[in-house]
Amino acid sequence: MLNAVSDHTPRDREVPAGKPAVTLDEHIVEVVSDSGEGAQKCGQSFGSIAAKMGNGIWTVEIIPAEIQPPARSIAGASGSRVRFASHPVTNVGDYADLVVAFNEQVLLGRVEANELKPGCIIVLESKWRTDPHPGIAASYAQTHAKLVDRGYRVYEVPMEQECLKYVADPRRGKNMFALGLLCSIYSLDLQMGRDQVAFAFAKKDASVIGANVRLLEAGHQWAEENLDIKFRIPASKPREPQIVVNGNIALGLGVLASGMEICAMYPITPATAASHYLSDVFEDAGGLVHQAEDEIAACCFAIGASYAGKCAVTITSGPGYSLKQEAIGLAVMAEIPLVVVDVQRGGPSTGQPTKAEQGDLLSACFGSHGDAPKVVMAAATIEDCFYSMITARRIAELFNMVVVVLSDANLATAQQPFPRPRFDEAWPAAPTDQSRVPRGMKPYDWDARTGLARRFIPGQPGGMYCLTGLAHDRESHVAYDPRSNEEGIRHRSLKLAALQKTLKTPPVYGDEEGDLLVVGWGSTKGAIEEAVARVRAEGKKVSSMHMKFLQPMPSGVKEALRRFKKVMTVENSWCDRLDDDVIDDDNRRFSNLAWLMRARYLVDIDCWSEVMGQPTKPGTIAQIIREKLQ
Amino acid sequence: MAEPMPVCLLRLEDENHGLEDYQRGVPRWCTGCGDNAILAAVQRVCRSEQVAPEKTVFISGIGCSSRFPHYMNAYGFHGIHGRALPVAEGLKMIRPDLHVFVSTGDGDCCSIGTAHWIHAIRYNMDMTVVLHDNQIYGLTKMQASPTSPRGLKTKTSPRGAYLEALNPLTVTLGVPNISFVAQGVDWIPEILHDLISLAFQHKGFSFVRVLQRCPEYLPEAFDPWVKDPARTLLLTHKDGIEPSPGLTKTYRNQEVHDPLNIDRAREIASMSDPIPVGVLYRNRDVPRYEDTRDTKRYTPDAIQHVLERELDKFTIWPAD
């Protein structure tokens, strides 16, 4: 998507000295380093400055699984990717246009992962060329030559050497020097850079901020004087206030705004950052983050709190979600409202803790033994992460149900601006009626049509009953007769149908009919829609639809599917490939959503998936669409 | 126009709870099951403390003992195996005004729920926890439990239990923040009542282990102790229990034990014969998690204030 316009923009106050800037529509920039060298902070700060200038941005983190992976290793690449543009962006995009690398090995990691565009600009720390260790110096020289040979435009920058002029330990400051380089290369407002440094180090004292600002300025000046590359990506300031946060912080803000008072959790990647953020701010508003002794305890703590008051939330990732299953079943059986957030990662088992995957949809829908109907919804954007918490609590309390909200490692660390939420007093409303329970009212007085019953809360006079995970009748007495068991199962199932009647049909992106409909869920939304837009621009009749509610699915979906000749899902959960010898129609396993939709709609829905641990590129999806249309 | 009833009379009628106000249904435990003795003791404590039934929650896991909440006229929560304590903690956190009782068994507490038990001690939240310890799995019909004596023949250990029994008293007394430990036996109901009463009054995590007989699977397990009062060590103290003269005449093996003395408490906890009965440890100064973590309860204003403050940090404002 590089639409470089090679006109030379006239100088103005934002392009300080000397060089004219090339105006671009968008660029994808990566900053990679060994773990602990601060490339993530550099990339995020760069993204924030661009966003504040009014560029569309999407940032994702490049995270190694270990805290201190070996230095200078291909697998140890840590950093950040920023896609920024003159227009809003909804996903991480395709291939990098420019990479800043602190050593050649982490850079090789990105090259081998095929993340760089041909001819990509590389800004490389040059100190390794003269490293006292001959092996390192040789490796650097070799890699450098190879990259130049492959046509990459490599700029060697003596980052640490320059930083040494300002700080004693350049390894701890060169990320801000690199930020300065980027500010110059992309003609960003240096004052906004200084403000951003102050924000990024807000918890440190003034001398730390001062030192980092000096490094920022030094990087900027060095690039101005030594680099012949300068770009400008036009920005337009938003008309409405926007907020820039990642998905995990959006989740935390959403919990706060939803009025839920208790978040019980156990540390797990990549969900924990949401709880870190909440731990910082929740108590100021009267909320509590409880770090339980394990995932099961976290879920049960939330259930205990929900049972006695407002709905509570437990936030976890795949393995923790598996551990909670029995407790979730209890909440379903006893009809205790509960919000469970699963920030998905690669699985099964420990899988890929820091990587993105969408493998938990079916376990979210069907996990827990027996018939355990629960609501499952998926956030598709950073903004969704915020609002899904408010929606989830409301549904959980209205229907006395478990609501599972799926996010993933992609959303968790990605940042994208969205309109600043306007607080609504209805969000943190008190839970259900706590007045005396009228005589004769039963704790499970299921409504024949909707399955709903009023929830009794401990402390409420006249409502005393013994909640149980055993099959029970309307009075919550243990049901020894088969009819009561069936009556309970039937009414708990009806609630899902009652909710379904209130859901809106998801809109179709593109025309309402055509040759191909691509269906997705979760964090792939932006990439799918961008791919659809590209292929539509080629004149093809393709549209897409994105499912926010996965269980129940809204009305109208079947009709939408039937208006297309072909339907396929694009997911990051595994599906067998028909070009494998042993795979055929009788044994093929489909991706999660394809399973669900084939079963419900009796439509021959195909699917395509990749489980590479990273967000699927719009270019990849566009290619899949073209092939499917042939 | 009828004369309004004096307020004091109304209050008297409302608040004077009899034993029947705490009873519900007919327990389905076996005849002679020690659970019945614990139920009677707890109901008497409720009456003597005049707790409001709707302000009281009985929480349990799974097992014979965990049927307990069904037989109390209060709010009950009969959950899943081993997880009563975290449920109780969540509830207590959000509703410190409610009285919380937890009924658990030797399998529920000392096997599947062990992690929660250890950590519940650390949290020291105000709740009364009664461990119904009959040294056997009853509901699943006679498997070895962690407290089964070594050599006990069960369906899963037909050649005798392989491992030394776990001692719940020494375990609890080894965990930081322990604040109340007592041991009672189902065959001395007077002391059982007094212990549960003290446990209820203690503001913190009160752990009462009750040795109880399982008439179905281990009917004779405690016979030597039931038949020979000399094999019971009665712990007495003005800060613990002070048994009636009748009892002290029967149970002559006594020790005046100061419940603040944790070293002696640990020695006593290690005894298996004689069986110690009484308060082993009580410390009123241990902080409670619900106080340490007390957050002023939420108001929409507070939420809005913090939300706007946080959003400000992340906001890009439009051009002026």
Side-chain angles (χ1 to χ4, degrees):
Chain A
M1 280 287 277
L2 177 73
N3 297 322
V5 186
S6 358
D7 64 334
H8 289 189
T9 319
R11 280 187 221 166
D12 65 23
R13 64 187 166 83
E14 281 175 320
V15 185
K19 287 167 289 184
V22 177
T23 300
L24 303 170
D25 182 46
E26 69 162 78
H27 243 197
I28 294 171
V29 178
E30 289 194 356
V31 187
V32 284
S33 69
D34 283 343
S35 196
E37 289 186 313
Q40 276 170 10
K41 193 167 232 171
C42 173
Q44 283 163 1
S45 299
F46 176 64
S48 296
I49 299 166
K52 283 177 184 161
M53 291 185 67
N55 288 112
I57 63 148
W58 183 282
T59 71
V60 285
E61 288 175 21
I62 299 159
I63 313 171
E66 298 162 58
I67 294 170
Q68 288 188 333
R72 295 175 40 80
S73 67
I74 287 174
S78 165
S80 187
R81 163 183 273 223
V82 184
R83 180 183 184 193
F84 80 121
S86 58
H87 50 83
V89 284
T90 60
N91 64 86
V92 67
D94 292 324
Y95 300 97
D97 297 283
L98 184 144
V99 180
V100 179
F102 289 11
N103 69 61
E104 85 288 354
Q105 292 298 314
V106 292
L107 173 64
L108 268 183
R110 303 305 291 165
V111 174
E112 286 179 9
N114 191 27
E115 292 292 351
L116 274 54
K117 189 175 282 184
C120 173
I121 298 167
I122 292 168
V123 177
L124 184 59
E125 161 68 84
S126 63
K127 72 165 193 159
W128 310 103
R129 191 176 279 288
T130 54
D131 196 273
H133 192 292
I136 291 178
S139 149
Y140 177 87
Q142 236 170 35
T143 306
H144 178 267
K146 191 164 76 183
L147 293 171
V148 172
D149 211 40
R150 284 201 203 164
Y152 294 116
R153 291 168 63 191
V154 187
Y155 291 86
E156 292 185 83
V157 180
M159 297 188 205
E160 286 202 7
Q161 191 186 313
E162 288 297 316
C163 291
L164 261 175
K165 296 176 184 168
Y166 308 93
V167 287
D169 179 6
R171 202 172 169 267
R172 292 185 66 86
K174 69 174 160 181
N175 59 338
M176 290 299 113
F177 184 86
L179 181 61
L181 296 175
L182 288 171
C183 284
S184 159
I185 294 171
Y186 289 102
S187 318
L188 298 187
D189 184 334
L190 194 58
Q191 186 51 42
M192 287 180 109
R194 293 186 192 99
D195 295 345
Q196 182 61 36
V197 172
F199 178 77
F201 292 94
K203 285 184 179 173
K204 303 284 169 65
D205 63 45
S207 67
V208 175
I209 295 174
N212 281 287
V213 167
R214 276 195 299 282
L215 289 165
L216 170 87
E217 290 167 344
H220 186 269
Q221 193 185 343
W222 195 92
E224 291 293 320
E225 290 167 1
N226 296 286
L227 293 180
D228 65 355
I229 38 174
K230 194 158 191 69
F231 305 111
R232 163 199 295 284
I233 294 177
S236 48
K237 275 270 189 182
R239 289 202 200 101
E240 297 292 323
Q242 305 267 312
I243 73 165
V244 184
V245 291
N246 68 31
N248 271 342
I249 290 182
L251 276 175
L253 288 167
V255 169
L256 175 65
S258 75
M260 290 191 280
E261 288 182 30
I262 286 185
C263 166
M265 52 73 69
Y266 182 80
I268 188 165
T269 305
T272 314
S275 305
H276 292 172
Y277 174 69
L278 261 186
S279 299
D280 260 356
V281 303
F282 208 17
E283 283 184 32
D284 295 347
L288 176 95
V289 176
H290 171 69
Q291 179 180 333
E293 59 270 22
D294 59 37
E295 293 280 2
I296 298 171
C299 194
C300 290
F301 192 99
I303 289 172
S306 271
Y307 159 67
K310 277 186 186 173
C311 179
V313 59
T314 181
I315 302 181
T316 188
S317 295
Y321 186 71
S322 295
L323 283 164
K324 294 179 196 293
Q325 290 303 328
E326 190 193 12
I328 289 173
L330 169 66
V332 171
M333 181 60 133
E335 304 188 43
I336 303 166
L338 178 69
V339 175
V340 183
V341 180
D342 174 2
V343 183
Q344 300 165 94
R345 61 192 227 183
S349 189
T350 312
Q352 297 203 95
T354 60
K355 308 283 191 211
E357 204 172 292
Q358 299 182 306
D360 298 352
L361 175 55
L362 292 178
S363 53
C365 292
F366 304 119
S368 214
H369 53 281
D371 186 57
K374 54 196 105 58
V375 179
V376 179
M377 51 192 288
T381 61
I382 310 299
E383 186 175 24
D384 273 356
C385 290
F386 177 83
Y387 288 104
S388 63
M389 292 295 93
I390 296 161
T391 311
R393 178 195 165 206
R394 184 173 298 171
I395 293 173
E397 284 184 1
L398 272 174
F399 291 85
N400 295 333
M401 287 191 95
V402 175
V403 180
V404 182
V405 178
L406 297 171
S407 173
D408 64 33
N410 179 16
L411 291 174
T413 61
Q415 298 190 81
Q416 181 200 27
F418 65 89
R420 178 177 167 132
R422 292 212 180 116
F423 180 75
D424 181 338
E425 273 185 16
W427 292 347
T432 48
D433 187 359
Q434 297 198 48
S435 60
R436 171 177 279 279
V437 174
R439 197 177 288 276
M441 198 177 223
K442 298 168 187 167
Y444 294 101
D445 227 346
W446 296 300
D447 178 73
R449 196 162 161 268
T450 61
L452 294 173
R454 175 177 161 178
R455 177 163 72 108
F456 299 173
I457 293 176
Q460 206 169 12
M464 290 172 290
Y465 73 106
C466 183
L467 174 150
T468 177
L470 285 158
H472 47 265
D473 62 17
R474 287 169 184 262
E475 297 187 64
S476 197
H477 294 153
V478 178
Y480 293 102
D481 64 303
R483 251 181 221 173
S484 294
N485 183 50
E486 193 169 286
E487 190 187 27
I489 287 185
R490 178 170 151 254
H491 284 105
R492 287 190 296 274
S493 186
L494 279 179
K495 291 193 294 184
L496 214 46
L499 168 64
Q500 194 268 348
K501 292 289 178 203
T502 70
L503 301 179
K504 284 186 205 152
T505 310
V508 172
Y509 177 82
D511 290 333
E512 297 278 341
E513 56 179 49
D515 295 332
L516 175 65
L517 181 72
V518 178
V519 189
W521 66 281
S523 67
T524 50
K525 183 180 188 200
I528 290 175
E529 291 184 355
E530 184 169 330
V532 166
R534 288 188 203 172
V535 182
R536 287 177 67 80
E538 297 161 12
K540 304 280 172 36
K541 291 179 177 165
V542 56
S543 301
S544 69
M545 184 158 84
H546 216 72
M547 306 293 288
K548 175 181 273 187
F549 281 89
L550 285 314
Q551 184 164 281
M553 290 195 205
S555 307
V557 173
K558 184 174 192 163
E559 293 72 14
L561 304 181
R562 296 254 155 122
R563 288 194 281 268
F564 290 84
K565 288 183 190 152
K566 292 178 184 170
V567 180
M568 74 182 297
T569 68
V570 166
E571 305 180 56
N572 295 134
S573 73
W574 180 248
C575 64
D576 287 329
R577 289 170 186 167
L578 286 165
D579 49 8
D580 279 339
D581 268 358
V582 73
I583 301 298
D584 58 32
D585 282 343
D586 291 341
N587 62 20
R588 184 182 187 201
R589 295 170 68 246
F590 295 87
S591 294
N592 285 197
L593 179 62
W595 273 126
L596 283 176
M597 297 188 81
R598 289 173 67 91
R600 173 158 305 284
Y601 300 116
L602 300 178
V603 171
D604 188 11
I605 298 173
D606 193 8
C607 50
W608 176 87
S609 76
E610 66 173 9
V611 285
M612 308 286 277
Q614 44 198 337
T616 300
K617 295 176 169 48
T620 310
I621 300 173
Q623 195 50 37
I624 295 304
I625 292 173
R626 290 184 196 105
E627 285 165 19
K628 186 73 187 171
L629 282 169
Q630 271 172 8
Chain B
M1 209 169 100
E3 192 74 7
M5 196 185 282
V7 173
C8 59
L9 285 184
L10 264 178
R11 286 179 60 84
L12 189 67
E13 192 175 287
D14 270 0
E15 293 187 6
N16 188 17
H17 297 291
L19 212 48
E20 64 283 1
D21 289 339
Y22 301 104
Q23 294 168 337
R24 177 158 58 194
V26 180
R28 294 196 177 209
W29 291 311
C30 304
T31 309
C33 174
D35 288 333
N36 291 295
I38 300 172
L39 180 65
V42 169
Q43 287 170 340
R44 285 173 55 218
V45 168
C46 287
R47 182 185 56 184
S48 51
E49 298 290 338
Q50 286 293 302
V51 299
E54 73 271 12
K55 293 272 188 192
T56 312
V57 190
F58 287 83
I59 300 177
S60 67
I62 294 295
C64 292
S65 60
S66 293
R67 286 301 183 100
F68 199 98
H70 288 280
Y71 310 134
M72 291 297 307
N73 187 40
Y75 278 91
F77 191 111
H78 179 201
I80 47 177
H81 200 20
R83 320 299 173 197
L85 287 170
V87 169
E89 290 153 9
L91 182 149
K92 189 71 187 179
M93 193 71 228
I94 202 152
R95 294 294 300 275
D97 59 313
L98 301 177
H99 306 294
V100 176
F101 286 83
V102 173
S103 308
T104 182
D106 39 311
D108 198 61
C109 177
C110 307
S111 196
I112 193 170
T114 309
H116 310 312
W117 168 38
I118 303 294
H119 289 277
I121 297 168
R122 293 179 61 225
Y123 297 132
N124 190 40
M125 299 183 83
D126 184 17
M127 55 184 70
T128 305
V129 180
V130 181
L131 168 61
H132 302 223
D133 188 352
N134 59 8
Q135 306 184 339
I136 192 82
Y137 282 81
L139 198 64
T140 49
K141 302 189 168 56
M142 205 182 185
Q143 297 82 21
S145 107
T147 60
S148 294
R150 188 148 80 101
L152 182 72
K153 291 188 174 168
T154 72
K155 297 216 179 113
T156 48
S157 58
R159 285 167 287 283
Y162 309 101
L163 303 174
E164 203 56 50
L166 181 146
N167 181 339
L169 297 179
T170 55
V171 171
T172 49
L173 284 165
V175 180
N177 280 0
I178 182 68
S179 72
F180 186 100
V181 182
Q183 176 157 275
V185 292
D186 75 10
W187 56 91
I188 316 181
E190 178 192 313
I191 291 182
L192 190 56
H193 168 271
D194 292 354
L195 289 174
I196 293 173
S197 184
L198 285 172
F200 175 81
Q201 288 159 9
H202 175 74
K203 296 294 167 220
F205 184 86
S206 322
F207 182 78
V208 185
R209 181 202 192 193
V210 181
L211 296 173
Q212 57 150 135
R213 292 163 293 182
C214 173
E216 190 66 23
Y217 299 117
L218 275 188
E220 286 144 19
F222 296 108
D223 271 5
W225 291 274
V226 175
K227 286 177 182 157
D228 181 3
R231 292 173 72 172
T232 297
L233 174 66
L234 215 51
L235 306 173
T236 66
H237 194 270
K238 62 178 173 34
D239 281 338
I241 50 165
E242 295 177 300
S244 65
L247 266 182
T248 48
K249 228 179 267 175
T250 310
Y251 294 94
R252 290 170 183 277
N253 186 3
Q254 296 171 17
E255 176 178 330
V256 178
H257 166 64
D258 179 356
L260 262 177
N261 183 346
I262 195 162
D263 294 331
R264 181 60 191 152
R266 285 175 176 148
E267 286 169 14
I268 294 169
S270 314
M271 296 176 183
S272 50
D273 195 8
I275 292 174
V277 168
V279 178
L280 281 85
Y281 186 65
R282 179 168 71 182
N283 181 351
R284 294 188 176 91
D285 297 331
V286 180
R288 289 175 295 272
Y289 189 70
E290 67 267 39
D291 298 339
T292 309
R293 300 292 319 267
D294 183 31
T295 61
K296 307 289 164 278
R297 288 290 141 217
Y298 252 15
T299 62
D301 285 349
I303 294 170
Q304 181 173 12
H305 171 74
V306 177
L307 183 68
E308 302 290 359
R309 182 194 78 194
E310 288 303 306
L311 290 175
D312 282 348
K313 288 186 193 167
F314 304 112
T315 297
I316 305 166
W317 297 101
D320 298 325

